[in-house]
Amino acid sequence: MLTRLSLRLRVLLIFAGLAGAGAVLLVLALLVIGADSSDPQALDALVQGGLIAGFGGLAAVTLVWFLFDRHVARPIEALAGGLRTGQAPDPDDTRYLADLGPAARDAAEARARAAEALAEAVAEHAAELTREKATLEDILSDFGAGAVMVDPQGRVVFYNASAARLLPGLALDRPLDRHLLPGALQAAVARLNAGVDATDLTCLTHDGTRLSGRMRKLDQGTLLILRDHAPNRPAPRQALESLRRHAATLVPMLDALDGPMPPDLTRAIRDEGQGLSLATRHLTEILQSDAITSRASLPELLTGLPISGELPRLSVICEAQAMNALLSLLVDRLGRTGHPPRLRIMPQDSAEAHLRIEWQGAPLAVAQLDHWLDQAPDPEQPDQSGADILQRHGTGIWPEADDKGCALILPLGLASGDVTGGGLTYDFALASRGAASSRLSDLTCVVFDTETTGLSPTEDRIVQIAGVRIARGRLTGESFETLVNPGRPIPPRATQIHHIDDRMVADAPDLTAALTAFHHFAEDAILIAHNAPFDMGLLRAAAAETGAHFDNRVLDTVLLSAMVWGGSVPHTLDALGERLDIQIPPEDRHTAMGDTLATAKAFLRLIPALSAKGIERFEDVQSNARRFRRMIEDANPHQSSISGASGSRGTAGD
């Protein structure tokens, strides 16, 4: 049982035992001497001397314990945490440990050199494989059809950008039947189990969209290729054949025209003309239905253009060259009118963002905008006007004006709903993982952080929230980020910290929209935050307003840090990053995404250190968390953790 106690507590018990034993021996000695003494004055003097000796001995033991705890036990505890995370200890912290401190530093440096040499060897050996993998990813990410692979339990282990567009909210380690009605999937799986290699299927999403696809059985699951069903749209070959037939019928009718037309011939020509018009319209629909599937990051889309504020980490569905040329044309024309504009991206929901071209001055007339759109913005495509570019992207642009200024609004579809990242997302090792594993290295987690109007989880409001997903011990590349309109002014003291002001959130989603989207992103994943009681307190306090109830299990990197290094060292995010060699760029500190990424990296680097201490599962974290409740509360739903959270915000978690 004593082995489960921390080193400092065991040392305290040893010294307490020494003090107690000394006191007992002193009392016994006084009793024996007192029994043999018949002189009361001598006995009183003996008792007084015994009390002085007892209290002096207790003070001496306490002083020795304090010095030992400060200069030996605490440094050993910190040294153990450093060794488990591969960090050399600070010489000032180990100066009383004689040769143990230098030996530990030498071991850490040797380990770092060995790890660096191994990393270089592995990198050199894997360079060609990495290039081939990148080429394959580029091909599959732009593959027109949606590709999804699931493990034997039906959980997603691979998907491409097209699948993310067809199934908004698709994410690794999430059941596929959460996006598709299970009937068609189960029937297709039954056919595969009957012995066929592949089978076609038609399925429905939960919002009623019909998709057609083909399912193939693999060694560790199934691969599903999905396309828009579009059953009422004629095929290009059918449309062209219909045009040929109607035109061929009209030719002899026109040749027969010699004098007044008989009524029957007039009706026949009218019918064939209507058929030709209908077939032409169908062909136009087909040509226009070749939806843009290219994706572009915002830096790629807005290259060379004046940007206002920080760009969110989003990818949009568009052809970067054509859309950049159109935006450059509009910026140039506005600049010539004496109104230099700047561009800003405002996410509206999980599927769309608005690109705003803003300026101060007179509003822009719609007729003038239409004139600019009639021009060809890309010299390499002189036959494609700005209006053609908008039409191909299935969007439009319009002017707005209010007391804050003027703007052109251009809606753009997000490349993969509320999840942003690469065009290809996968972790095939998920297929071999136990379905019910609670090992920290196997968990599917969402690491998140909030920026707020203040430090009270019950009184203040969120102004920014960001999250990233971790599956099987690695970042998947899926992320969520949005500004939030708090519905109240942001105090200047809060803006000084996170640099978010009222103007930046004026057009941002409100709390209900933002937390509903984040709830969909997080769903049943374990939530991880640094000083989680504060952030979870904000989410739970907003539940009555937003309807988004976050009953997820929670991990707190403050508690995990304390389990590795003990409670005697600081556990702020900056201190944790310094101990784990995590660089947080100054411009990213106190931004929701910057702090989220730092927390995610810290969690991943803490996993092996926790495992070395026997803390391998979520349940192990829960049982060990009880030892640190005086430092910070557990934020899991069954704990009463909201109260007092704001008090620890500036010490443990900031």
Side-chain angles (χ1 to χ4, degrees):
M1 178 178 178
L2 290 177
T3 58
R4 300 180 60 185
L5 301 178
S6 68
L7 172 65
R8 295 180 62 206
L9 184 55
R10 279 183 278 174
V11 170
L12 175 61
L13 292 176
I14 291 173
F15 278 93
L18 288 174
V24 170
L25 291 175
L26 180 60
V27 170
L28 290 176
L30 290 174
L31 290 175
V32 171
I33 296 173
D36 295 337
S37 175
S38 58
D39 185 355
Q41 292 183 349
L43 183 61
D44 289 342
L46 184 63
V47 170
Q48 292 177 3
L51 290 175
I52 293 173
F55 283 113
L58 180 61
V61 170
T62 302
L63 177 61
V64 173
W65 164 80
F66 174 77
L67 293 175
F68 191 90
D69 178 74
R70 181 173 182 179
H71 298 304
V72 179
R74 290 188 184 185
I76 289 177
E77 199 172 54
L79 179 62
L83 290 174
R84 288 192 175 96
T85 54
Q87 303 301 311
D90 190 333
D92 292 337
D93 295 337
T94 59
R95 62 182 181 274
Y96 292 100
L97 298 182
D99 197 42
L100 181 59
R105 288 195 298 275
D106 292 342
E109 291 170 0
R111 175 180 173 181
R113 288 193 298 270
E116 184 178 354
L118 178 61
E120 290 178 357
V122 171
E124 183 178 353
H125 179 72
E128 184 62 31
L129 179 62
T130 301
R131 286 192 291 271
E132 294 177 0
K133 173 175 169 286
T135 301
L136 179 62
E137 287 184 355
D138 290 340
I139 294 172
L140 290 178
S141 63
D142 292 328
F143 188 54
V148 184
M149 179 181 170
V150 298
D151 65 9
Q153 288 75 41
R155 302 184 75 86
V156 176
V157 299
F158 165 96
Y159 65 91
N160 67 352
S162 296
R165 288 191 289 272
L166 293 173
L167 305 173
L170 191 66
L172 291 182
D173 203 31
R174 183 172 290 178
L176 183 60
D177 59 16
R178 189 167 296 176
H179 306 279
L180 295 172
L181 295 179
L185 296 177
Q186 293 170 356
V189 170
R191 293 194 293 273
L192 293 178
N193 291 336
V196 299
D197 293 331
T199 181
D200 294 326
L201 76 159
T202 300
C203 50
L204 291 174
T205 65
H206 285 279
D207 62 4
T209 302
R210 185 179 297 273
L211 303 174
S212 61
R214 186 167 180 82
M215 182 179 287
R216 179 177 296 278
K217 193 170 185 178
L218 304 175
D219 290 339
Q220 291 186 318
T222 54
L223 176 66
L224 182 61
I225 304 298
L226 294 171
R227 293 181 177 85
D228 282 319
H229 188 64
N232 298 321
R233 190 178 69 196
R237 185 181 298 274
Q238 295 173 333
L240 290 173
E241 177 61 24
S242 178
L243 279 174
R244 187 200 63 76
R245 179 174 54 81
H246 286 299
T249 305
L250 277 175
V251 170
M253 292 181 179
L254 295 173
D255 290 340
L257 291 179
D258 186 13
M261 288 188 296
D264 292 342
L265 182 58
T266 301
R267 284 194 299 272
I269 292 177
R270 183 182 298 111
D271 292 342
E272 291 302 323
Q274 290 175 348
L276 184 62
S277 175
L278 181 62
T280 304
R281 186 167 68 251
H282 284 167
L283 183 59
T284 301
E285 292 174 357
I286 293 169
L287 295 176
Q288 291 181 347
S289 68
D290 292 333
I292 298 294
T293 59
S294 302
R295 53 189 290 136
S297 65
L298 293 184
E300 180 184 8
L301 173 64
L302 303 179
T303 298
L305 298 173
I307 309 300
S308 176
E310 181 181 357
L311 288 178
R313 292 175 172 84
L314 297 175
S315 295
V316 293
I317 303 171
C318 75
E319 291 180 349
Q321 178 178 340
M323 191 60 73
N324 179 268
L326 174 58
L327 294 174
S328 299
L329 172 69
L330 296 175
V331 167
D332 176 70
R333 296 299 185 269
L334 284 168
R336 292 184 184 183
T337 62
H339 306 302
R342 300 191 71 82
L343 280 69
R344 188 154 59 100
I345 287 282
M346 300 301 300
Q348 298 299 301
D349 52 37
S350 61
E352 187 178 76
H354 282 183
L355 191 154
R356 296 173 58 88
I357 307 176
E358 302 174 336
W359 72 92
Q360 298 295 323
L364 179 66
V366 175
Q368 181 64 64
L369 175 61
D370 290 340
H371 174 67
W372 291 345
L373 293 178
D374 286 338
Q375 302 174 34
D378 189 352
E380 296 184 7
Q381 303 183 61
D383 58 340
Q384 188 177 59
S385 67
D388 294 332
I389 294 174
L390 294 175
Q391 184 178 14
R392 290 188 61 244
H393 284 76
T395 187
I397 190 169
W398 62 87
E400 286 185 357
D402 54 29
D403 55 355
K404 297 180 181 179
C406 302
L408 292 176
I409 311 299
L410 173 63
L412 294 171
L414 294 181
S416 52
D418 58 4
V419 180
T420 61
L424 202 63
T425 308
Y426 62 91
D427 187 346
F428 295 117
L430 286 171
S432 60
R433 185 200 65 182
S437 174
S438 64
R439 294 173 60 90
L440 297 180
S441 56
D442 286 340
L443 297 177
T444 295
C445 311
V446 167
V447 186
F448 78 104
D449 183 67
T450 60
E451 299 300 330
T452 64
T453 59
L455 297 179
S456 171
T458 56
E459 300 296 332
D460 284 298
R461 309 274 286 186
I462 297 173
V463 299
Q464 188 180 42
I465 184 169
V468 296
R469 194 184 307 278
I470 289 176
R472 209 185 62 81
R474 76 174 186 91
L475 288 163
T476 66
E478 301 159 302
S479 63
F480 176 96
E481 182 180 20
T482 183
L483 292 169
V484 183
N485 190 329
R488 65 174 69 166
I490 301 175
R493 64 181 182 277
T495 299
Q496 289 177 358
I497 296 174
H498 49 54
H499 307 295
I500 300 173
D501 56 29
D502 294 331
R503 184 175 180 274
M504 294 172 63
V505 300
D507 297 318
D510 62 14
L511 188 64
T512 298
L515 291 192
T516 299
F518 180 68
H519 186 271
H520 182 68
F521 177 70
E523 290 209 30
D524 55 355
I526 291 177
L527 292 176
I528 301 177
H530 194 76
N531 191 23
F534 178 81
D535 297 285
M536 292 306 302
L538 288 163
L539 299 185
R540 290 168 181 160
E545 174 186 347
T546 64
H549 295 271
F550 291 86
D551 298 325
N552 311 57
R553 293 180 293 168
V554 182
L555 288 172
D556 189 339
T557 48
V558 172
L559 283 173
L560 300 181
S561 174
M563 292 175 193
V564 173
W565 283 283
S568 60
V569 299
H571 299 288
T572 64
L573 187 57
D574 291 319
L576 185 57
E578 183 177 352
R579 286 197 295 272
L580 294 175
D581 195 25
I582 298 171
Q583 304 297 323
I584 309 176
E587 64 273 15
D588 291 341
R589 185 67 172 103
H590 293 300
T591 67
M593 183 55 75
D595 289 355
T596 292
L597 290 173
T599 303
K601 293 175 183 177
F603 170 70
L604 294 176
R605 296 185 187 183
L606 284 170
I607 290 177
L610 292 165
S611 179
K613 296 195 69 170
I615 304 173
E616 297 184 343
R617 301 180 180 274
F618 183 87
E619 296 80 8
D620 299 332
V621 174
Q622 289 295 92
S623 61
N624 280 272
R626 300 187 184 97
R627 297 193 289 119
F628 300 95
R629 284 181 180 170
R630 285 184 296 178
M631 186 180 76
I632 186 170
E633 289 287 343
D634 189 353
N636 279 282
H638 64 280
Q639 302 289 341
S640 177
S641 61
I642 295 179
S643 62
S646 62
S648 62
R649 177 68 170 175
T651 55
D654 194 32

